[in-house]
Each structure stands twice: as structure tokens, then as C-alpha cells.
Amino acid sequence: MGSFLLILLGFGLLIAVHELGHFAAAKWAGVRADGFAIGMGPVLCSYRKGVGYCFGSADARVINRIGKRPIECSDEELAEFGLGETEYSLRALPLGGYVRMLGQEDGQPVEASNNPRSFAGCPIPKRIVIILGGIAANLVLAIALFLGAFLHGVNFEAPIIGTLDPQGAAAKAGIRAGDRVQSCDGERIDTFNDLIIAAAMSRPDTPMSISLTRTSASGEESIVASVDPTVDEASGLRSLGIAPTSSATLTAVRESDALVRAAIKGAQLPASIVPGARLVALDGQPISNLVDAQRIAADSHGSPLAADWMLPDGAKVEASLLPRAMFSRFHSVTPTGATRIDEGLVGLAPLCAVEAIDPSSRNQGVLETGDVFLSVGDLAGPKAADLIEFVRSRPKAEIPVRILRRGKDDASADAELSLLLKTDGDGRIGVYLHPAWDLPFLARSIAKSTVNAVEQPTPASSLAIVPTGRLLALNGEPISNFYQLRSALRRGEANPSSEPTAFELTVLDPRVGAEPSSMPLILTSAQLTEVRALGWRFPIDSNYFDPAYVLLSAGGDPIRAVTMGFERTYAVGKSVFATIDRVARGTVSATQLQGPIGILHVGTRVADEGFSYLIFFLALLSVNLAVVNALPIPIADGGLLLFALYEGIRGKAPSVRFQSMAVLCGIIFVAALFLFTFANDMRRLLGI
């Protein structure tokens, strides 16, 4: 709640500063300003010279004294009664404010006035200064806020490549995990978010030139990659298909505690290693981020590695860490056009198991960690993606499932249970899944995979596998889990004539009374080579580690902070204009636009990260507010500027009818935009 109030007040401050810019410029230009308000809605208290401080509006006291509103009085009348021309008020809703100038009442932009102190009677150059005053105030405020943030220092995700989508633009361009991005199309890249924005704002069919630094055994080398981003189906934005690298510190965020502990247990690490622990060395080599650990694990050939951990209290723990075998990832396109990824081996796939249960899950006390899904509804042997698709299509429902609950120890037997699970409004059961590689049970086979836009059948597509069947042997060698199947396939000898290699796979049909059956598993030379190329990975996924950060700081140098403030203000302003351009061109989906609710929602999350993040976020909003007001919309500053320029060029203002129609169109446009962004915000918040 505190973060929400902070961001609400901050948002109101930005609008109030905008109006203060107009007010200060109006005072400079000699335009009479009848009111300056901080906030909106009912007046809490106010001040007007000659009346003093009072609760409510001072206008009521003026009317009682002289019989009419102050704005209806001439300058001479105000002087006669000893009244100031401006009422300063504080209003109930802390959302911005406004300035009321003579001849520019809201909704009546063309109200004529021969009074030289009215907005309409003000010389055009001064009128332009008044119009631009709000925009200038927001830009100055943004620079000041950025200055404060950079003097303190703000952490951002470092521009270091972590994981890559094998089918993504970056991977195809030869970019690797661990590469550090220095610039993009000549523009310096300071944070990973800068790179994401650059890709999203890129023009179709125009490759980006990305300068990288790559560290290898021989030292650092500079590389320039030409990359043409592709549209990400989930976000609707142009993307490189990359994720940032993680640090070597297990995240200690309270909401992720159960997940992190489950990952530590799954990696067979001692219980003394807890969230917040940092991996400092692996196999005797120092670790600076998770890419280092992943590289060492990949070179291990599956051998145990000595791992040195630093606990949150400063204590050191040494433990043996066993790299985890990697399996194939099969890409396919769903009927909706989305990309689906299944993990398996030659098209054979494992069942999925519960890795952890979300504290807010409606199935707390029903499911347990380690439960293996045998069926969901009438779907037997679901893979993880099958299970997710099934429950997502059934929000707020009760779904029957059959699970295998493993014994707690060697003395306890496994048990098959029938349960009834509840889904929430988003069609979720509130659990985290992982493939059950350590079991011999088979899920529904992966029939096809898309490689370079070509759909190809998998070796398992020709096998008569019954879901929940059991692996027994390969070429007569007993198999009790997918790890052993992987090892047996890797040891298989390829046909010297480059003809397909046949393996004898023995499985047990799950139907009662069924006998083991053997079937030929045919692999081409390329498929067998792919299996043999499967490597090893670090046993804890990167999402369980804190991000690798880079500190943007002026190092206490105020001159440097001012420079950084100007640079960031310019960069953000340019990015906002580019976003508007890309939305207009259709290369950025309009569903990415956020309204006030979305801004407040993001802002509260940012505020939770600390004061410097809040200051930086408000600086971003201030630049956005300046840019939006500069747009040529009739009720925005940009529209008023166009009217003033037209009057200066033609020697007369646009017709009253034209201005009235323009203002009406502007109101309709802003109202429609508000409703559209409101719908976007609610869609995100409700997950629909």
C-alpha cells in the first residue's frame, strides 16, 4: 500500500510540475492566471492575496464580499478590493493539477478576449513560450530526477547474453551466451533493457549491427554481428530471442523461496545451501556469473564438480555438484500459430512431475512435490505442455487427474491416486512442473518437430507407444530411466554405410496383463549425431538466480550525473517517439501500450525495489509526459502550438468552428485511447 501511495503521489507531482511550467511562463508573459491548483477534485484549502488562507475555495469569500467571481473582475477592480489575481489551491485527489488562464477556460479554447492579459490576447511568441512551459518543466524535472538517481546509483540487468532461443535471430547470427553487448547501430548499450528496446524499435528487413565483446581462453575479442530481429508471438514485439545472464547468487525473494529450495534439493546439494547463497568457484575456477558455471558444467562430461558456496551469513560451504544431462528440444507450431517446445529424446518424452507448489495454489494439501501426472481428464500420459494446455482451457473448474505418488523412502511403496484439482480464473493449478527424467514412464510421444521452418517426423512417431508405458531395455541393456536411455543411445554404433541405425527398444504396455514388447527404433546418421552432441548443463536453472546487474552511477560526480541525466532524457524521449512511430507502422503491437492503471501497477513494483528505482521510474514518466504533450493533438500542448503557429503564419487564428471541432475530435481520441489502454491494463492484470 505504501508503494502504491508513493507512485500515486509521484505521478501527481509530474502533472503538477507540468502545470507549474505553464503557470510560471504565463506569469512571465503577463497573462493573468486566475487559479493554480495542485491536485484535482474538491478544494481542501486555498490562498488568495487579500483573503488569506482558508478551508475550501477562497472564491466563495470573494463572491460574498464583492458579488462576483474574481475572474470576472478587471485588474483595477481586484486592486481596488486588495485582491490577488491568483487562487492557489490544494485539492482532494493527488493526481496532477491545472492552471486557469484568462481566455483559456477548459473546453472553450476559442473564447475570445480583447483583454491584453488574456491568453488569446498575448503575443504569439509569448503564447508559444507558455505552451511549451509545461513540456520544458517535465524535461527539466526528468534531468533533475535522473541526476539524483545516478548520484546514488541504480542497478540494471547487465547487457550480457544469458540464454538464447536456438531458433532466434541472435543465435542464428552467431551470438553466444556470455557475450557482452557494447553498442547497437552505433548507440551505446548500458543495460539489457536498452538492447531489448533497440530490437523492439528496429525496422523490419533492416538488420541491426551489434558490437560485442567475447571472452575466451585466449582473451577478449571484439565482434560485430548483423542481426535481423523477428516478431515474438507472445509479446508482439520484434525480438532477438535472448535472455539476460544471471548472477551466481541464488535469489532470496520471499515469493520464490519454496521454488529455490526445491531446485537446491533437486540438484542433490546439502540443505545448508539456502536462498541467498552465492557460487564463488566451480571445479577450482572463479565464478563471476552463471554463464561461467554453465560453461564449466558443459565441459565436465557429466563428472562431479567441486563447488564452493558463500552463504548469506558469510560462511563457506563446499559441496559436490553433479551436472545434469541435456535432452533435445522439439519445436512445433500450434493451431493458433504459437511456438511450442517439448523436451525429449528421439521423440520419446517423459511424464511431468510437480517441482514445487505455489503458496497461493488452490491445490495446497492435495498435490505434493514429486507427484507425477499419469493422466489429466481423459488425456493419458501428458507432457508438461499437454498438461498446461489442458488446464488453461478450463478456468474455474474441477479437473480429475491420476498421479503417481512416490514413496518417501526405500521402505515406502509408490501409489497411484485419483485426485480432483481446482483451476483458478486463469486456468492454472498453481504448481511448477519439470520432466520426470529419473523415471522410466513414457508420456505421449512427440510426433513432429519443426526445423528451419520444415516439419519433420521424429523417430518415435513410427512406434506404437502407449502413454504411461514403461522403458525396459535398449538392445537388451536394461533401462530404468531417461538418463540411462540417453547413455545407451550415445554408446550406439552408427552404421558405417551412413544408412539408418536400428536399435531394439523394449517397452512394457501399461494395460493389465500386457507382456514386454520390442520394436525397432530407427535413427538416421544425423539424428544419432544429434543425440551424441547432447551435452551437460548446470543442475539449477538460471531463473533461480538473481540477475547479473550493472550499476549506472556517476560515482558521486555531479557534473557527470548531469551529463548522464541529459543523455538518458534524450534517449528516453527518442525511444517514446520511436514507439509511437512503430505503433503507427504496425511493427509494434498497440496492445503493448499501457494506461494509468498499468503505469501504477508497474510503478508499485518498481517502488518496492528501492528509492533510487522510484526516482528513475518517475524520471522516465516525466519524459513520457513531455513527449505525449508535444503530440499534435488539439487538446494537448502540441495541438495548441500548431494553432499558434498557424495564427502566426496566416495572421489570423483558425475559425471558431474548426477549433471547436478539433477540440471535440481530440477529446474523443484521448477518451478512446484511455479506454483502449485501460482494456490493455485489465487484460494484463487479469491474465486474459
Side-chain angles (χ1 to χ4, degrees):
M1 187 62 180
S3 297
F4 176 78
L5 291 176
L6 274 176
I7 201 67
L8 189 66
L9 291 172
F11 194 51
L13 171 67
L14 301 184
I15 303 175
V17 166
H18 180 87
E19 297 301 331
L20 180 61
H22 289 308
F23 179 71
K27 285 291 188 181
W28 168 82
V31 171
R32 181 170 153 182
D34 180 65
F36 176 72
I38 295 178
M40 303 294 284
V43 179
L44 297 178
C45 59
S46 63
Y47 170 81
R48 183 186 288 270
K49 182 182 177 181
V51 176
Y53 296 97
C54 63
F55 291 105
S57 175
D59 281 5
R61 297 192 180 191
V62 174
I63 293 172
N64 289 336
R65 184 191 301 182
I66 64 175
K68 58 182 178 180
R69 294 186 304 152
I71 199 170
E72 297 170 347
C73 299
S74 65
D75 292 346
E76 291 76 15
E77 288 176 314
L78 289 176
E80 179 184 347
F81 291 106
L83 296 173
E85 67 180 40
T86 305
E87 178 190 71
Y88 302 89
S89 61
L90 180 65
R91 296 178 177 251
L93 300 177
L95 288 174
Y98 67 87
V99 56
R100 186 171 62 230
M101 289 178 279
L102 184 65
Q104 200 206 21
E105 284 74 18
D106 289 344
Q108 303 177 56
V110 296
E111 182 170 317
S113 173
N114 293 322
N115 191 322
R117 295 203 61 203
S118 72
F119 178 77
C122 177
I124 291 176
K126 288 188 175 182
R127 206 184 310 168
I128 291 174
V129 172
I130 296 172
I131 292 169
L132 296 178
I135 296 173
N138 278 129
L139 293 176
V140 171
L141 177 62
I143 293 170
L145 291 172
F146 279 133
L147 186 153
F150 291 137
L151 278 177
H152 183 274
V154 189
N155 277 321
F156 292 92
E157 289 183 329
I160 303 174
I161 308 300
T163 56
L164 298 94
D165 178 357
Q167 304 298 319
K172 291 179 179 179
I175 294 176
R176 302 177 189 171
D179 287 350
R180 187 181 191 100
V181 179
Q182 302 294 343
S183 66
C184 181
D185 290 333
E187 298 285 341
R188 191 178 73 243
I189 298 295
D190 293 321
T191 71
F192 193 83
N193 194 53
D194 291 343
L195 180 60
I196 295 300
I197 292 174
M201 296 299 107
S202 64
R203 297 179 182 275
D205 302 320
T206 304
M208 301 167 60
S209 178
I210 300 179
S211 296
L212 311 156
T213 300
R214 178 173 297 165
T215 303
S216 61
S218 57
E220 285 191 352
E221 59 177 322
S222 296
I223 297 170
V224 177
S226 179
V227 190
D228 189 8
T230 56
V231 176
D232 178 69
E233 294 153 354
S235 67
L237 297 174
R238 288 172 60 77
S239 168
L240 297 171
I242 55 175
T245 189
S246 298
S247 69
T249 302
L250 291 165
T251 186
V253 177
R254 184 178 66 255
E255 293 80 4
S256 303
D257 187 82
L259 271 175
V260 176
R261 292 182 185 276
I264 293 170
K265 182 179 179 181
Q268 301 176 352
L269 292 171
S272 57
I273 296 175
V274 295
R278 179 168 61 92
L279 180 64
V280 295
L282 187 63
D283 197 31
Q285 302 179 50
I287 301 297
S288 59
N289 56 50
L290 197 60
V291 170
D292 293 339
Q294 291 167 334
R295 173 179 51 79
I296 295 169
D299 295 338
S300 68
H301 302 290
S303 301
L305 301 171
D308 298 329
W309 297 83
M310 177 79 74
L311 301 184
D313 61 4
K316 295 182 179 180
V317 174
E318 295 182 5
S320 177
L321 184 142
L322 186 65
R324 187 163 292 171
M326 295 177 67
F327 290 84
S328 300
R329 292 162 64 88
F330 298 88
H331 294 72
S332 59
V333 180
T334 67
T336 63
T339 299
R340 167 173 163 161
I341 300 176
D342 290 298
E343 286 190 285
L345 197 62
V346 297
L348 299 173
L351 297 174
C352 59
V354 176
E355 183 174 25
I357 302 173
D358 192 283
S360 63
S361 173
R362 301 181 69 191
N363 298 294
Q364 283 277 2
V366 180
L367 289 170
E368 294 182 3
T369 301
D371 285 348
V372 181
F373 287 92
L374 299 174
S375 67
V376 53
D378 57 358
L379 185 69
K383 300 182 289 296
D386 296 330
L387 178 65
I388 292 170
E389 286 181 4
F390 190 95
V391 299
R392 286 281 173 86
S393 64
R394 294 163 175 80
K396 294 183 179 179
E398 292 187 338
I399 299 178
V401 300
R402 192 163 52 92
I403 59 110
L404 176 70
R405 179 159 295 167
R406 293 188 251 191
K408 302 297 182 185
D409 49 48
D410 294 338
S412 304
D414 296 345
E416 287 192 19
L417 302 175
S418 294
L419 306 174
L420 201 61
L421 302 184
K422 296 179 179 179
T423 60
D424 62 16
D426 296 329
R428 305 173 192 269
I429 57 176
V431 300
Y432 299 89
L433 304 172
H434 70 97
W437 303 116
D438 59 331
L439 293 177
F441 299 108
L442 292 160
R444 306 170 72 85
S445 295
I446 304 166
K448 297 178 180 179
S449 180
T450 302
V451 180
N452 295 326
V454 179
E455 194 174 69
Q456 301 174 352
T458 67
S461 62
S462 61
L463 303 181
I465 298 292
V466 179
T468 70
R470 184 183 185 119
L471 293 168
L472 292 181
L474 185 74
N475 288 350
E477 179 184 340
I479 298 294
S480 61
N481 56 51
F482 273 80
Y483 294 119
Q484 293 180 1
L485 175 63
R486 177 182 182 273
S487 297
L489 285 171
R490 285 163 60 88
R491 289 194 300 270
E493 293 185 6
N495 195 317
S497 63
S498 298
E499 292 294 320
T501 301
F503 294 86
E504 184 182 58
L505 180 69
T506 305
V507 299
L508 180 63
D509 192 304
R511 288 170 288 198
V512 177
E515 295 290 330
S517 59
S518 296
M519 55 192 72
L521 177 62
I522 310 298
L523 271 66
T524 65
S525 176
Q527 290 167 339
L528 187 56
T529 299
E530 179 184 332
V531 172
R532 287 176 171 168
L534 292 173
W536 308 87
R537 66 179 181 86
F538 194 77
I540 303 178
D541 289 338
S542 60
N543 49 307
Y544 297 122
F545 289 83
D546 285 335
Y549 288 116
V550 60
L551 180 67
L552 291 191
S553 172
D557 181 352
I559 303 300
R560 173 61 183 150
V562 170
T563 303
M564 293 176 70
F566 272 103
E567 290 175 348
R568 186 57 59 168
T569 300
Y570 171 75
V572 173
K574 188 171 70 171
S575 175
V576 176
F577 275 118
T579 300
I580 296 169
D581 173 72
R582 300 303 187 269
V583 170
R585 293 172 183 269
T587 58
V588 171
S589 172
T591 58
Q592 298 300 313
L593 299 177
Q594 292 193 349
I597 292 177
I599 292 171
L600 289 173
H601 177 66
V602 173
T604 53
R605 293 167 59 190
V606 171
D608 288 338
E609 296 294 325
F611 186 69
S612 60
Y613 286 94
L614 174 62
I615 295 298
F616 190 89
F617 181 71
L618 290 177
L620 293 177
L621 285 185
S622 193
V623 178
N624 275 264
L625 187 59
V627 171
V628 170
N629 269 282
L631 296 178
I633 302 170
I635 60 173
D637 295 339
L640 296 176
L641 179 62
L642 283 181
F643 288 158
L645 292 174
Y646 176 90
E647 184 177 346
I649 295 171
R650 294 291 305 273
K652 62 178 182 178
S655 68
V656 171
R657 177 179 175 79
F658 176 82
Q659 290 194 58
S660 297
M661 291 301 298
V663 168
L664 178 61
C665 291
I667 292 173
I668 293 173
F669 174 78
V670 171
L673 184 62
F674 175 83
L675 291 174
F676 180 78
T677 56
F678 176 80
N680 283 349
D681 294 341
M682 297 309 296
R683 197 179 299 117
R684 289 188 189 93
L685 292 176
L686 299 177
I688 56 177

